Amino acid sequence: MGRGVPELVLELNGRTWTLDPSRSYTLGRDPQGDMTIDDARVSWRHATISWNGRGWSIEDHGSTNGTYVQGRRVQQTEIAAGTSVRLGNATDGPRLDLTAAAVAGAPAPQARQAPAQQPQGAAAWPAAPAQQHAPAHQAPQQPAWQQAPQQQPPVPHQQNRGGAPGAGAPGGGAGTPPVYGDRSPTTFHQLDLGRVMRIGRALENELVVSDLQVSRLHAEFRATPDGRFEIRDLGSHNGTYVNGQPLSKSGSALIGPNDIVGVGHSTFRLVGDRLEEFVDTGEVSFSARHLTVTVDGGKDILKDVSFGVPEKSLIAVIGPSGSGKSTLLKALTGYRPANQGDVLYDNRNLYKQFAELRQRIGLVPQDDILHKELTVTRALRYAAKLRFPADTTEAERTARIHEVLAELKLDIHRDKKITSLSGGQRKRVSVALELLTKPSLIFLDEPTSGLDPGMDRDVMQLLRGLADDGRTVLVVTHSVAELAICDKLLVMAPGGSVAYFGPPEEALNFFGYTSWADVFSAFENYRDYDWAGRWRGSQHYQMYAADIDAVAVQPVHMPPPQQIRPPKPSGWAAQLWTLMRRYISVIASDKGFLLLMVLLPAVLGVVSVVIPAEFGLAEPDPPSRFNGKAGTIMLILAVGMCFAAAANSVRELIKERVIYERERATGLSRSAYLLSKVIVLGVITALQGVIICGIGFSTRQLPEEGLFMPPAAEICVSIIVLGFVSMMFGLMISALVKTAEKTMPLLVMFAIVQVVFTGVLFQVYGSPGLEQFAWLMPSRWAVAAAGTTLDLAHLMPPWDPKNPTDLDPLWEHTAGQWGINITVMLVMSAVLFVAVSRMLRRHEPEVMRK
């Protein structure tokens, strides 16, 4: 120690440090820090102790749960021997004992002997009641869960107990609302009443935000004549938000000291004449409070679920089938908001601010959110184009993709097709897609499903690394082999209630079993047992969940749908172009599908050639002047086109359901997505129509003149338009079904119905009810359009020989009737487009369906 510097000794968890004034000491959960504190209430890099030239001081580094000196939360203050310092909680957080060097060897204060004051994970953690933690060789006569929980003395309400993030009411109370808990601002910006302060990614902005989710010119702050300030959106891609609600494109709003402005990962608050900026770097807390989900009939499938997790944690959720894990995941992500309760993202209500906070949450569903026909790099490139603003340069997107691939050790696989990767590698690519936008919170649904034990371990170690790098990761899993690497474990009981929440290494002892197979068997055999009641009566509940549960249950009052939904992204045409290019790449990568799209119409065209007849009159003699086979040829061509076009599209939406749901939540335009399918499939259908007609007409003698075009062109247009309508019917089937297996029966049924109602097999017109029903069939109008060109009304024998002038009105040999037939099919296509767009809402997050 230098002259004049008081010698200070710090004691923590039985270890002592004689502090050196020439250096600083970091405290937190980081194993690389100077003083590692394994307690969930302590942040990764919580605080620093150093000599400031006048005395020793402790500085909090924006921790979630705070640093307390003499019971008062501080940001930076001087300390000395005898000062009481606690981390994470003013009452029972880990305690730093500060003494003078002369008494360094004195025994620790008596307060450290109290069990409630032991930091989580310390070696001297108190033993739980014997009824709940009996060793395997001393198991009680009956399972621990059958015994009544030992009554514990009431524990006073304490803020942020057991790592619970923030105990304030949702959305903050009176006064200035919380921004990232009680953390200090990242930086400050002085507002000038005389000029505009622009925000964006470009360097020419007064306030530069280095975030790829921010447009180059994103928004601006400006002073109003009455001395107040307003925020104006400049047509940004991902939107500008005030208190979690999006501004309209190029819209503005007045802001005050109680308002929070969100731009990308940055949040701004007006304090006097300056802006405080908070950058979301991943150090966010997350909690669920009293989540209850009720389905039709009043049945609760999720019951009063509460838990809280600190920043940079890995949480596993396990439970038997029917325990509500998938329902919980949808409630936590906001995809299907709970009927009661709150989900808090750093003290901000996720449900009420979903439009903004959705950008900071990553979700990896059980099914891969990837087009497996593409290479890894190309799949990520298209995802980046859709999620980042249109003004993002190719170099910026490429740099971010390479950064993510390097982080996940996918560099060597970047040029491989996703189909060639192993299950674990494909899951890494799905995670890479989510990491492009740097989410602070990542949810994964069954990421190890179907993987062997080695890949299971690799994926879980990947998630551990993501948490250690500064993210909160929650994984729903059936695998229990790698639970030990998680920070917390949430066990769901049958019926959707919590059976346990706490450290994974203590879970089996809590249940009184030695294996998870025994626990799950107990769940199955005793489904009516009050697992949630046993949990709430346990010591673990008092340590890890009591504070979260103490907050009163809140009914969910959702804001208007227009506030929940994200703003329509600018660059709709850019989205459409990107989606079309991606779809073409997917089709071009599937050689088998390309071959089938060519062979199917070719084979159907050849089948029509087998019928030996021409489109003209059979013979000049009146007794045999009719050509009945002309109608049969048109029937085969029309039905063949119906089948080929519908087959192209009948699986396109259902096979991408998971991809669409995730992309829709990140801002994908529904109309751009559907129109990209319609345009690409429409071009393919037109080519197939040309192939069918080209082969079908190649050996036929057509009439010399058409109504206003060559007969071959008129008939080909009729067949192509029929194919377009059939393609739209295929998309409707694809949007309607819940599984791809159901598409083929509906496709066959659609084709058969078209055969019956063409008007060629039997008389359709003049039959009340039947004629009107046939109007709903595209094949009826397509054969009628071809019939006007060929004059089928006079070419085919009359249905009633005694009344040969009674002709099908849709086959009238006039250009006007041909136009009516084509127009009806186009109107059908437009109606089907609207219907499919409405049905696509069933594939979207429920919060966006209103």
PDB file of all heavy atoms in Angstrom, residues 228-258:
ATOM      1  N   ARG A 228     -41.854  22.856 -26.702  1.00  0.00           N
ATOM      2  CA  ARG A 228     -41.855  21.411 -26.488  1.00  0.00           C
ATOM      3  C   ARG A 228     -41.116  20.713 -27.630  1.00  0.00           C
ATOM      4  O   ARG A 228     -40.666  21.356 -28.587  1.00  0.00           O
ATOM      5  CB  ARG A 228     -43.292  20.895 -26.375  1.00  0.00           C
ATOM      6  CG  ARG A 228     -44.011  21.418 -25.130  1.00  0.00           C
ATOM      7  CD  ARG A 228     -45.375  20.771 -24.966  1.00  0.00           C
ATOM      8  NE  ARG A 228     -46.294  21.151 -26.026  1.00  0.00           N
ATOM      9  CZ  ARG A 228     -47.531  20.628 -26.161  1.00  0.00           C
ATOM     10  NH1 ARG A 228     -47.949  19.718 -25.287  1.00  0.00           N
ATOM     11  NH2 ARG A 228     -48.320  21.040 -27.133  1.00  0.00           N
ATOM     12  N   PHE A 229     -40.982  19.395 -27.517  1.00  0.00           N
ATOM     13  CA  PHE A 229     -40.273  18.632 -28.542  1.00  0.00           C
ATOM     14  C   PHE A 229     -41.202  17.585 -29.142  1.00  0.00           C
ATOM     15  O   PHE A 229     -42.120  17.075 -28.473  1.00  0.00           O
ATOM     16  CB  PHE A 229     -39.045  17.936 -27.954  1.00  0.00           C
ATOM     17  CG  PHE A 229     -37.937  18.876 -27.574  1.00  0.00           C
ATOM     18  CD1 PHE A 229     -37.839  19.375 -26.282  1.00  0.00           C
ATOM     19  CD2 PHE A 229     -36.995  19.280 -28.513  1.00  0.00           C
ATOM     20  CE1 PHE A 229     -36.832  20.251 -25.934  1.00  0.00           C
ATOM     21  CE2 PHE A 229     -35.979  20.152 -28.172  1.00  0.00           C
ATOM     22  CZ  PHE A 229     -35.895  20.644 -26.884  1.00  0.00           C
ATOM     23  N   GLU A 230     -40.950  17.286 -30.402  1.00  0.00           N
ATOM     24  CA  GLU A 230     -41.686  16.219 -31.059  1.00  0.00           C
ATOM     25  C   GLU A 230     -40.716  15.297 -31.777  1.00  0.00           C
ATOM     26  O   GLU A 230     -39.604  15.694 -32.142  1.00  0.00           O
ATOM     27  CB  GLU A 230     -42.703  16.774 -32.058  1.00  0.00           C
ATOM     28  CG  GLU A 230     -42.101  17.402 -33.299  1.00  0.00           C
ATOM     29  CD  GLU A 230     -43.154  17.784 -34.341  1.00  0.00           C
ATOM     30  OE1 GLU A 230     -44.347  17.548 -34.092  1.00  0.00           O
ATOM     31  OE2 GLU A 230     -42.759  18.282 -35.420  1.00  0.00           O
ATOM     32  N   ILE A 231     -41.143  14.056 -31.962  1.00  0.00           N
ATOM     33  CA  ILE A 231     -40.380  13.070 -32.717  1.00  0.00           C
ATOM     34  C   ILE A 231     -41.141  12.798 -34.007  1.00  0.00           C
ATOM     35  O   ILE A 231     -42.372  12.637 -33.991  1.00  0.00           O
ATOM     36  CB  ILE A 231     -40.188  11.771 -31.895  1.00  0.00           C
ATOM     37  CG1 ILE A 231     -39.398  10.743 -32.700  1.00  0.00           C
ATOM     38  CG2 ILE A 231     -41.513  11.188 -31.442  1.00  0.00           C
ATOM     39  CD1 ILE A 231     -37.951  11.070 -32.889  1.00  0.00           C
ATOM     40  N   ARG A 232     -40.426  12.803 -35.119  1.00  0.00           N
ATOM     41  CA  ARG A 232     -41.050  12.575 -36.427  1.00  0.00           C
ATOM     42  C   ARG A 232     -40.347  11.409 -37.127  1.00  0.00           C
ATOM     43  O   ARG A 232     -39.111  11.387 -37.206  1.00  0.00           O
ATOM     44  CB  ARG A 232     -40.971  13.835 -37.287  1.00  0.00           C
ATOM     45  CG  ARG A 232     -41.575  13.657 -38.695  1.00  0.00           C
ATOM     46  CD  ARG A 232     -41.431  14.937 -39.505  1.00  0.00           C
ATOM     47  NE  ARG A 232     -42.124  16.041 -38.872  1.00  0.00           N
ATOM     48  CZ  ARG A 232     -43.435  16.279 -39.014  1.00  0.00           C
ATOM     49  NH1 ARG A 232     -44.175  15.486 -39.777  1.00  0.00           N
ATOM     50  NH2 ARG A 232     -43.984  17.311 -38.409  1.00  0.00           N
ATOM     51  N   ASP A 233     -41.143  10.470 -37.600  1.00  0.00           N
ATOM     52  CA  ASP A 233     -40.586   9.363 -38.378  1.00  0.00           C
ATOM     53  C   ASP A 233     -40.310   9.842 -39.799  1.00  0.00           C
ATOM     54  O   ASP A 233     -41.085  10.617 -40.366  1.00  0.00           O
ATOM     55  CB  ASP A 233     -41.564   8.185 -38.398  1.00  0.00           C
ATOM     56  CG  ASP A 233     -40.998   6.976 -39.110  1.00  0.00           C
ATOM     57  OD1 ASP A 233     -40.271   6.201 -38.472  1.00  0.00           O
ATOM     58  OD2 ASP A 233     -41.278   6.811 -40.316  1.00  0.00           O
ATOM     59  N   LEU A 234     -39.195   9.385 -40.368  1.00  0.00           N
ATOM     60  CA  LEU A 234     -38.801   9.810 -41.718  1.00  0.00           C
ATOM     61  C   LEU A 234     -39.001   8.693 -42.737  1.00  0.00           C
ATOM     62  O   LEU A 234     -38.205   8.515 -43.647  1.00  0.00           O
ATOM     63  CB  LEU A 234     -37.341  10.268 -41.712  1.00  0.00           C
ATOM     64  CG  LEU A 234     -37.020  11.476 -40.818  1.00  0.00           C
ATOM     65  CD1 LEU A 234     -35.537  11.805 -40.879  1.00  0.00           C
ATOM     66  CD2 LEU A 234     -37.866  12.690 -41.218  1.00  0.00           C
ATOM     67  N   GLY A 235     -40.101   7.921 -42.554  1.00  0.00           N
ATOM     68  CA  GLY A 235     -40.365   6.822 -43.480  1.00  0.00           C
ATOM     69  C   GLY A 235     -39.445   5.641 -43.253  1.00  0.00           C
ATOM     70  O   GLY A 235     -39.032   4.970 -44.197  1.00  0.00           O
ATOM     71  N   SER A 236     -39.128   5.363 -41.992  1.00  0.00           N
ATOM     72  CA  SER A 236     -38.175   4.298 -41.670  1.00  0.00           C
ATOM     73  C   SER A 236     -38.741   2.924 -42.004  1.00  0.00           C
ATOM     74  O   SER A 236     -39.954   2.744 -42.139  1.00  0.00           O
ATOM     75  CB  SER A 236     -37.825   4.353 -40.181  1.00  0.00           C
ATOM     76  OG  SER A 236     -38.979   4.122 -39.395  1.00  0.00           O
ATOM     77  N   HIS A 237     -37.848   1.955 -42.125  1.00  0.00           N
ATOM     78  CA  HIS A 237     -38.232   0.586 -42.477  1.00  0.00           C
ATOM     79  C   HIS A 237     -38.883  -0.119 -41.293  1.00  0.00           C
ATOM     80  O   HIS A 237     -39.950  -0.725 -41.419  1.00  0.00           O
ATOM     81  CB  HIS A 237     -36.999  -0.197 -42.937  1.00  0.00           C
ATOM     82  CG  HIS A 237     -37.275  -1.630 -43.278  1.00  0.00           C
ATOM     83  ND1 HIS A 237     -37.694  -2.026 -44.527  1.00  0.00           N
ATOM     84  CD2 HIS A 237     -37.199  -2.763 -42.544  1.00  0.00           C
ATOM     85  CE1 HIS A 237     -37.857  -3.334 -44.548  1.00  0.00           C
ATOM     86  NE2 HIS A 237     -37.560  -3.812 -43.345  1.00  0.00           N
ATOM     87  N   ASN A 238     -38.243  -0.084 -40.133  1.00  0.00           N
ATOM     88  CA  ASN A 238     -38.718  -0.827 -38.967  1.00  0.00           C
ATOM     89  C   ASN A 238     -39.504   0.020 -37.974  1.00  0.00           C
ATOM     90  O   ASN A 238     -39.911  -0.479 -36.928  1.00  0.00           O
ATOM     91  CB  ASN A 238     -37.539  -1.493 -38.247  1.00  0.00           C
ATOM     92  CG  ASN A 238     -37.011  -2.689 -39.023  1.00  0.00           C
ATOM     93  OD1 ASN A 238     -37.781  -3.481 -39.537  1.00  0.00           O
ATOM     94  ND2 ASN A 238     -35.695  -2.796 -39.123  1.00  0.00           N
ATOM     95  N   GLY A 239     -39.711   1.296 -38.278  1.00  0.00           N
ATOM     96  CA  GLY A 239     -40.611   2.098 -37.474  1.00  0.00           C
ATOM     97  C   GLY A 239     -39.963   2.843 -36.324  1.00  0.00           C
ATOM     98  O   GLY A 239     -38.882   2.515 -35.846  1.00  0.00           O
ATOM     99  N   THR A 240     -40.650   3.889 -35.891  1.00  0.00           N
ATOM    100  CA  THR A 240     -40.289   4.671 -34.708  1.00  0.00           C
ATOM    101  C   THR A 240     -41.429   4.513 -33.706  1.00  0.00           C
ATOM    102  O   THR A 240     -42.602   4.571 -34.093  1.00  0.00           O
ATOM    103  CB  THR A 240     -40.103   6.147 -35.071  1.00  0.00           C
ATOM    104  OG1 THR A 240     -39.104   6.263 -36.096  1.00  0.00           O
ATOM    105  CG2 THR A 240     -39.679   6.957 -33.862  1.00  0.00           C
ATOM    106  N   TYR A 241     -41.080   4.334 -32.434  1.00  0.00           N
ATOM    107  CA  TYR A 241     -42.088   3.978 -31.433  1.00  0.00           C
ATOM    108  C   TYR A 241     -42.068   4.971 -30.279  1.00  0.00           C
ATOM    109  O   TYR A 241     -40.998   5.403 -29.843  1.00  0.00           O
ATOM    110  CB  TYR A 241     -41.829   2.565 -30.897  1.00  0.00           C
ATOM    111  CG  TYR A 241     -41.846   1.520 -31.989  1.00  0.00           C
ATOM    112  CD1 TYR A 241     -40.708   1.273 -32.758  1.00  0.00           C
ATOM    113  CD2 TYR A 241     -42.999   0.816 -32.278  1.00  0.00           C
ATOM    114  CE1 TYR A 241     -40.730   0.345 -33.777  1.00  0.00           C
ATOM    115  CE2 TYR A 241     -43.034  -0.123 -33.296  1.00  0.00           C
ATOM    116  CZ  TYR A 241     -41.899  -0.347 -34.043  1.00  0.00           C
ATOM    117  OH  TYR A 241     -41.921  -1.261 -35.058  1.00  0.00           O
ATOM    118  N   VAL A 242     -43.245   5.324 -29.813  1.00  0.00           N
ATOM    119  CA  VAL A 242     -43.400   6.169 -28.636  1.00  0.00           C
ATOM    120  C   VAL A 242     -44.189   5.361 -27.607  1.00  0.00           C
ATOM    121  O   VAL A 242     -45.327   4.968 -27.872  1.00  0.00           O
ATOM    122  CB  VAL A 242     -44.123   7.485 -28.956  1.00  0.00           C
ATOM    123  CG1 VAL A 242     -44.346   8.294 -27.689  1.00  0.00           C
ATOM    124  CG2 VAL A 242     -43.326   8.296 -29.975  1.00  0.00           C
ATOM    125  N   ASN A 243     -43.527   5.074 -26.479  1.00  0.00           N
ATOM    126  CA  ASN A 243     -44.127   4.233 -25.432  1.00  0.00           C
ATOM    127  C   ASN A 243     -44.573   2.883 -25.987  1.00  0.00           C
ATOM    128  O   ASN A 243     -45.617   2.343 -25.619  1.00  0.00           O
ATOM    129  CB  ASN A 243     -45.305   4.947 -24.768  1.00  0.00           C
ATOM    130  CG  ASN A 243     -44.884   6.240 -24.103  1.00  0.00           C
ATOM    131  OD1 ASN A 243     -43.781   6.332 -23.559  1.00  0.00           O
ATOM    132  ND2 ASN A 243     -45.738   7.244 -24.163  1.00  0.00           N
ATOM    133  N   GLY A 244     -43.766   2.367 -26.906  1.00  0.00           N
ATOM    134  CA  GLY A 244     -44.020   1.047 -27.457  1.00  0.00           C
ATOM    135  C   GLY A 244     -45.003   1.012 -28.602  1.00  0.00           C
ATOM    136  O   GLY A 244     -45.198  -0.039 -29.217  1.00  0.00           O
ATOM    137  N   GLN A 245     -45.640   2.139 -28.936  1.00  0.00           N
ATOM    138  CA  GLN A 245     -46.627   2.164 -30.006  1.00  0.00           C
ATOM    139  C   GLN A 245     -46.032   2.836 -31.238  1.00  0.00           C
ATOM    140  O   GLN A 245     -45.364   3.860 -31.133  1.00  0.00           O
ATOM    141  CB  GLN A 245     -47.889   2.914 -29.563  1.00  0.00           C
ATOM    142  CG  GLN A 245     -48.443   2.462 -28.221  1.00  0.00           C
ATOM    143  CD  GLN A 245     -48.660   0.961 -28.143  1.00  0.00           C
ATOM    144  OE1 GLN A 245     -48.977   0.318 -29.137  1.00  0.00           O
ATOM    145  NE2 GLN A 245     -48.472   0.394 -26.949  1.00  0.00           N
ATOM    146  N   PRO A 246     -46.250   2.248 -32.421  1.00  0.00           N
ATOM    147  CA  PRO A 246     -45.607   2.784 -33.626  1.00  0.00           C
ATOM    148  C   PRO A 246     -46.236   4.076 -34.111  1.00  0.00           C
ATOM    149  O   PRO A 246     -47.458   4.252 -34.066  1.00  0.00           O
ATOM    150  CB  PRO A 246     -45.823   1.661 -34.655  1.00  0.00           C
ATOM    151  CG  PRO A 246     -47.076   0.970 -34.189  1.00  0.00           C
ATOM    152  CD  PRO A 246     -47.061   1.048 -32.698  1.00  0.00           C
ATOM    153  N   LEU A 247     -45.376   4.968 -34.566  1.00  0.00           N
ATOM    154  CA  LEU A 247     -45.857   6.126 -35.305  1.00  0.00           C
ATOM    155  C   LEU A 247     -46.210   5.692 -36.718  1.00  0.00           C
ATOM    156  O   LEU A 247     -45.629   4.747 -37.252  1.00  0.00           O
ATOM    157  CB  LEU A 247     -44.784   7.212 -35.369  1.00  0.00           C
ATOM    158  CG  LEU A 247     -44.369   7.900 -34.057  1.00  0.00           C
ATOM    159  CD1 LEU A 247     -43.244   8.884 -34.335  1.00  0.00           C
ATOM    160  CD2 LEU A 247     -45.550   8.597 -33.419  1.00  0.00           C
ATOM    161  N   SER A 248     -47.150   6.383 -37.311  1.00  0.00           N
ATOM    162  CA  SER A 248     -47.422   6.116 -38.718  1.00  0.00           C
ATOM    163  C   SER A 248     -46.230   6.567 -39.550  1.00  0.00           C
ATOM    164  O   SER A 248     -45.406   7.369 -39.098  1.00  0.00           O
ATOM    165  CB  SER A 248     -48.683   6.871 -39.161  1.00  0.00           C
ATOM    166  OG  SER A 248     -48.509   8.274 -38.986  1.00  0.00           O
ATOM    167  N   LYS A 249     -46.109   6.008 -40.754  1.00  0.00           N
ATOM    168  CA  LYS A 249     -45.001   6.400 -41.622  1.00  0.00           C
ATOM    169  C   LYS A 249     -45.013   7.904 -41.834  1.00  0.00           C
ATOM    170  O   LYS A 249     -46.036   8.482 -42.216  1.00  0.00           O
ATOM    171  CB  LYS A 249     -45.094   5.673 -42.968  1.00  0.00           C
ATOM    172  CG  LYS A 249     -44.856   4.173 -42.862  1.00  0.00           C
ATOM    173  CD  LYS A 249     -43.484   3.862 -42.334  1.00  0.00           C
ATOM    174  CE  LYS A 249     -43.257   2.368 -42.179  1.00  0.00           C
ATOM    175  NZ  LYS A 249     -41.970   2.040 -41.571  1.00  0.00           N
ATOM    176  N   SER A 250     -43.886   8.519 -41.536  1.00  0.00           N
ATOM    177  CA  SER A 250     -43.719   9.971 -41.633  1.00  0.00           C
ATOM    178  C   SER A 250     -44.629  10.715 -40.658  1.00  0.00           C
ATOM    179  O   SER A 250     -44.849  11.922 -40.815  1.00  0.00           O
ATOM    180  CB  SER A 250     -43.980  10.460 -43.069  1.00  0.00           C
ATOM    181  OG  SER A 250     -43.115   9.809 -43.976  1.00  0.00           O
ATOM    182  N   GLY A 251     -45.138  10.016 -39.628  1.00  0.00           N
ATOM    183  CA  GLY A 251     -45.969  10.660 -38.621  1.00  0.00           C
ATOM    184  C   GLY A 251     -45.119  11.262 -37.520  1.00  0.00           C
ATOM    185  O   GLY A 251     -43.902  11.082 -37.456  1.00  0.00           O
ATOM    186  N   SER A 252     -45.752  12.011 -36.620  1.00  0.00           N
ATOM    187  CA  SER A 252     -45.023  12.672 -35.541  1.00  0.00           C
ATOM    188  C   SER A 252     -45.854  12.621 -34.272  1.00  0.00           C
ATOM    189  O   SER A 252     -47.063  12.348 -34.299  1.00  0.00           O
ATOM    190  CB  SER A 252     -44.709  14.120 -35.905  1.00  0.00           C
ATOM    191  OG  SER A 252     -45.912  14.871 -36.080  1.00  0.00           O
ATOM    192  N   ALA A 253     -45.187  12.877 -33.148  1.00  0.00           N
ATOM    193  CA  ALA A 253     -45.872  12.894 -31.859  1.00  0.00           C
ATOM    194  C   ALA A 253     -45.085  13.775 -30.907  1.00  0.00           C
ATOM    195  O   ALA A 253     -43.850  13.799 -30.922  1.00  0.00           O
ATOM    196  CB  ALA A 253     -45.996  11.479 -31.292  1.00  0.00           C
ATOM    197  N   LEU A 254     -45.800  14.529 -30.078  1.00  0.00           N
ATOM    198  CA  LEU A 254     -45.163  15.326 -29.031  1.00  0.00           C
ATOM    199  C   LEU A 254     -44.692  14.395 -27.926  1.00  0.00           C
ATOM    200  O   LEU A 254     -45.352  13.413 -27.593  1.00  0.00           O
ATOM    201  CB  LEU A 254     -46.144  16.353 -28.466  1.00  0.00           C
ATOM    202  CG  LEU A 254     -46.543  17.502 -29.393  1.00  0.00           C
ATOM    203  CD1 LEU A 254     -47.655  18.325 -28.762  1.00  0.00           C
ATOM    204  CD2 LEU A 254     -45.337  18.387 -29.712  1.00  0.00           C
ATOM    205  N   ILE A 255     -43.551  14.710 -27.357  1.00  0.00           N
ATOM    206  CA  ILE A 255     -43.008  13.857 -26.298  1.00  0.00           C
ATOM    207  C   ILE A 255     -42.721  14.695 -25.067  1.00  0.00           C
ATOM    208  O   ILE A 255     -42.444  15.893 -25.150  1.00  0.00           O
ATOM    209  CB  ILE A 255     -41.726  13.133 -26.746  1.00  0.00           C
ATOM    210  CG1 ILE A 255     -40.647  14.137 -27.152  1.00  0.00           C
ATOM    211  CG2 ILE A 255     -42.010  12.153 -27.852  1.00  0.00           C
ATOM    212  CD1 ILE A 255     -39.297  13.503 -27.403  1.00  0.00           C
ATOM    213  N   GLY A 256     -42.822  14.035 -23.915  1.00  0.00           N
ATOM    214  CA  GLY A 256     -42.530  14.677 -22.653  1.00  0.00           C
ATOM    215  C   GLY A 256     -41.600  13.816 -21.827  1.00  0.00           C
ATOM    216  O   GLY A 256     -41.129  12.766 -22.279  1.00  0.00           O
ATOM    217  N   PRO A 257     -41.343  14.187 -20.582  1.00  0.00           N
ATOM    218  CA  PRO A 257     -40.387  13.453 -19.746  1.00  0.00           C
ATOM    219  C   PRO A 257     -40.864  12.045 -19.391  1.00  0.00           C
ATOM    220  O   PRO A 257     -40.057  11.217 -18.976  1.00  0.00           O
ATOM    221  CB  PRO A 257     -40.262  14.327 -18.494  1.00  0.00           C
ATOM    222  CG  PRO A 257     -41.499  15.169 -18.479  1.00  0.00           C
ATOM    223  CD  PRO A 257     -41.853  15.394 -19.895  1.00  0.00           C
ATOM    224  N   ASN A 258     -42.157  11.743 -19.535  1.00  0.00           N
ATOM    225  CA  ASN A 258     -42.658  10.416 -19.217  1.00  0.00           C
ATOM    226  C   ASN A 258     -42.741   9.507 -20.436  1.00  0.00           C
ATOM    227  O   ASN A 258     -43.230   8.393 -20.337  1.00  0.00           O
ATOM    228  CB  ASN A 258     -44.046  10.502 -18.576  1.00  0.00           C
ATOM    229  CG  ASN A 258     -43.988  11.125 -17.204  1.00  0.00           C
ATOM    230  OD1 ASN A 258     -42.991  10.994 -16.504  1.00  0.00           O
ATOM    231  ND2 ASN A 258     -45.048  11.811 -16.817  1.00  0.00           N
TER     232      ASN A 258
END
